[in-house]
Amino acid sequence: MKNKVIIICILILASILRLYPLDKYPAGLNADEAAIGYNAWSLLETGKDEHSISWPLVFRSFDDYKPPVYFYLVLPFVKVMGLNVWAVRLPSALLGIASVYLLYLIARKLFPPRPARPAGGSTIYDLPSITAILLAVSPWHLQFSRGGWEVNTALFFILLGIYGFLKSLDNAKYLYLFVIAFAISLYTYHSARLISPLLALSLVIIYWKQINILKNLKPFAIGVIICIPLIFQMLSKEGQSRFTG
């Protein structure tokens, strides 16, 4: 019960720091945020982005060819709230709050609670709660949670994938969550296309004896299918240009 109260308080703190007042700090949308909001609005109005491409998997924007996930996450918020600062930033803020909770869950899997020590024993620190509050107040994470940043979205899906993997050690069905979350992360931010495969491969190698890939090929096959469009993107002129950068 005590742990539940602590994590609820941490999430309330994380929410306040990320949501109030979201439309004023940082002041005004930057160019990337404005492009994301405008493209979401354009898709709703015309079914095409600012360059007249129908429902693209890569957004040309300012010729920096952004991955698509955050654009589509913003779309329903623009539909409901209109084209404004809140609609562009709220998805990132919510994912930032969710990331704090995901990191808490990951830490609980890695450092499960132990029985309390008898009186006079050494202190047992609540590592999951400490981990969560450090992310909740992290200046880096606060900045990227309070803006329409793809990197914050990528972090959420990477954490979700890690949590799915750790859960799959007890129940193989969570391999679907692991594979799909990591695959989606590849469509969120360019750096994730390097980080996510290396991290996923590392998890598989470290826990090789605890998973049976040969008996669980289906989720990995689904992951490959999800990544097929990305392979063609990386082979294109635009994809190679951004990857080189």
Side-chain angles (χ1 to χ4, degrees):
M1 182 64 182
K2 179 182 177 182
N3 288 339
K4 290 182 179 180
V5 172
I6 292 174
I7 187 57
I8 289 173
C9 291
I10 292 172
L11 291 175
I12 291 173
L13 174 63
S15 300
I16 293 171
L17 293 175
R18 283 157 181 77
L19 295 174
Y20 179 83
L22 189 61
D23 58 335
K24 293 182 173 63
Y25 303 104
L29 294 175
N30 65 29
D32 287 334
E33 290 177 302
I36 290 170
Y38 178 75
N39 276 281
W41 175 83
S42 180
L43 286 170
L44 286 169
E45 294 294 317
T46 68
K48 298 179 180 180
D49 70 355
E50 62 179 302
H51 295 284
S52 299
I53 305 299
S54 298
W55 305 101
L57 285 177
V58 58
F59 285 81
R60 177 180 169 185
S61 192
F62 301 107
D63 283 344
D64 55 355
Y65 302 99
K66 293 178 172 65
V69 169
Y70 195 72
F71 287 81
Y72 289 114
L73 285 177
V74 168
L75 194 149
F77 289 85
V78 172
K79 177 69 175 179
V80 173
M81 305 171 67
L83 183 55
N84 54 53
V85 177
W86 270 98
V88 174
R89 290 178 175 171
L90 187 55
S92 180
L94 295 176
L95 291 178
I97 297 166
S99 293
V100 173
Y101 185 58
L102 274 175
L103 192 60
Y104 172 79
L105 295 177
I106 290 170
R108 280 182 64 88
K109 292 297 292 182
L110 294 173
F111 308 101
R114 293 178 291 174
R117 295 283 181 87
S122 60
T123 303
I124 298 178
Y125 294 100
D126 183 2
L127 288 176
S129 296
I130 293 173
T131 303
I133 197 167
L134 286 175
L135 186 62
V137 301
S138 164
W140 175 89
H141 197 250
L142 279 172
Q143 168 161 329
F144 288 107
S145 293
R146 292 185 62 87
W149 299 104
E150 302 102 314
V151 63
N152 192 52
T153 310
L155 177 62
F156 167 79
F157 282 104
I158 289 172
L159 289 173
L160 184 62
I162 294 171
Y163 178 66
F165 183 85
L166 294 175
K167 289 284 288 184
S168 74
L169 300 178
D170 300 318
N171 189 332
K173 71 179 183 180
Y174 282 96
L175 282 173
Y176 289 97
L177 179 61
F178 161 61
V179 171
I180 292 174
F182 267 95
I184 293 175
S185 75
L186 302 178
Y187 291 91
T188 58
Y189 190 60
H190 289 287
S191 296
R193 296 174 179 180
L194 177 64
I195 296 168
S196 293
L198 290 175
L199 184 55
L201 180 61
S202 298
L203 288 170
V204 171
I205 292 173
I206 292 169
Y207 293 94
W208 180 262
K209 294 182 179 180
Q210 295 174 248
I211 60 175
N212 192 329
I213 294 181
L214 294 179
K215 289 186 177 180
N216 297 283
L217 288 176
K218 188 175 179 181
F220 291 97
I222 292 174
V224 171
I225 292 172
I226 295 175
C227 293
I228 288 176
L230 182 63
I231 296 172
F232 289 103
Q233 286 182 29
M234 296 302 293
L235 294 175
S236 68
K237 179 181 68 176
E238 295 83 4
Q240 291 178 5
S241 172
R242 185 60 190 255
F243 187 77
T244 300

